[in-house]
Amino acid sequence: MTEFILIVISAVFINNFVVVQFLGICPFLGVSKDFKSALGMGLAVTFVMTLTCLITYPLYTYVLVPLGIEFMEIIVFIFIIAAIVQMIEMALKKFSPTLYNAMGIYLPLITTNCAVLGVAELVIDAGQIASLIGISASQMNMGYAVLYGLFAGIGFTVAIVIMSGLREKIARNGVTRHLKGFPIAMM
């Protein structure tokens, strides 16, 4: 139970991919203009991060490493991420066209979102996550990897939703012309 709590706190707050590690900033800034789009993007990124960890961790551990081709990890991971994003894009286009249109170009950009690739790379480095949650590297398993991916995505969602709320509030208030848009949002 302690490891679970440490994964949640670490992934959502302490090592948040957007706020602390500055990964995934492009879709974060592009889609955080309104709450609905931000929440949709956050949920999509969470889903992609979770599925990515679910697929890449065992693929790396049980296929790439035994075959001695772990140097191919980035290419394989990007291919998997692209396939997952393509599935989400097709599903959103069919079942939620308004959300699909609101996300625009930023939805396919999840493929190149470095936060998603970052979480995939982080979970295969058993030592880093194991040290964060207080276990030995040999105890790292797929369960921890998937949980970390899920809560890293939730951390991304929390950050983008908070930013969208701030940007909506700022848009309603009078702001000088020179500070409108990204400048005031970054302040």
Side-chain angles (χ1 to χ4, degrees), residues 1-73:
M1 185 65 179
T2 305
E3 291 90 4
F4 177 77
I5 293 169
L6 288 172
I7 286 175
V8 172
I9 292 170
S10 173
V12 175
F13 301 111
I14 297 171
N15 291 314
N16 187 294
F17 276 89
V18 175
V19 180
V20 176
Q21 298 182 21
F22 300 110
L23 296 174
I25 297 295
C26 180
F28 175 78
L29 292 175
V31 183
S32 64
K33 293 176 187 165
D34 68 287
F35 175 78
K36 187 176 179 181
S37 298
L39 183 62
M41 175 60 85
L43 293 175
V45 168
T46 301
F47 185 69
V48 171
M49 282 183 165
T50 305
L51 274 180
T52 297
C53 290
L54 182 67
I55 296 168
T56 59
Y57 184 83
L59 185 68
Y60 179 81
T61 306
Y62 302 115
V63 177
L64 297 179
V65 171
L67 291 176
I69 55 170
E70 57 267 9
F71 62 89
M72 297 283 293
E73 72 192 44

Side-chain angles (χ1 to χ4, degrees), residues 68-81:
I69 55 170
E70 57 267 9
F71 62 89
M72 297 283 293
E73 72 192 44
I74 292 177
I75 294 169
V76 172
F77 290 0
I78 289 174
F79 177 74
I80 290 168
I81 293 166

Side-chain angles (χ1 to χ4, degrees), residues 12-167:
V12 175
F13 301 111
I14 297 171
N15 291 314
N16 187 294
F17 276 89
V18 175
V19 180
V20 176
Q21 298 182 21
F22 300 110
L23 296 174
I25 297 295
C26 180
F28 175 78
L29 292 175
V31 183
S32 64
K33 293 176 187 165
D34 68 287
F35 175 78
K36 187 176 179 181
S37 298
L39 183 62
M41 175 60 85
L43 293 175
V45 168
T46 301
F47 185 69
V48 171
M49 282 183 165
T50 305
L51 274 180
T52 297
C53 290
L54 182 67
I55 296 168
T56 59
Y57 184 83
L59 185 68
Y60 179 81
T61 306
Y62 302 115
V63 177
L64 297 179
V65 171
L67 291 176
I69 55 170
E70 57 267 9
F71 62 89
M72 297 283 293
E73 72 192 44
I74 292 177
I75 294 169
V76 172
F77 290 0
I78 289 174
F79 177 74
I80 290 168
I81 293 166
I84 293 169
V85 170
Q86 188 65 38
M87 287 184 338
I88 290 173
E89 189 174 3
M90 290 186 302
L92 280 178
K93 192 174 187 179
K94 182 172 183 166
F95 298 113
S96 182
T98 55
L99 183 57
Y100 174 80
N101 290 331
M103 288 187 181
I105 187 66
Y106 296 102
L107 184 60
L109 283 177
I110 294 175
T111 302
T112 59
N113 186 340
C114 50
V116 178
L117 184 59
V119 78
E121 288 289 323
L122 188 65
V123 297
I124 63 166
D125 184 8
Q128 282 190 351
I129 292 183
S131 68
L132 292 173
I133 60 176
I135 61 172
S136 69
S138 63
Q139 291 175 298
M140 183 63 184
N141 60 28
M142 191 167 87
Y144 289 133
V146 173
L147 280 176
Y148 193 83
L150 172 68
F151 288 107
I154 290 172
F156 181 90
T157 303
V158 167
I160 197 169
V161 165
I162 289 172
M163 182 62 141
S164 72
L166 290 172
R167 289 183 72 182

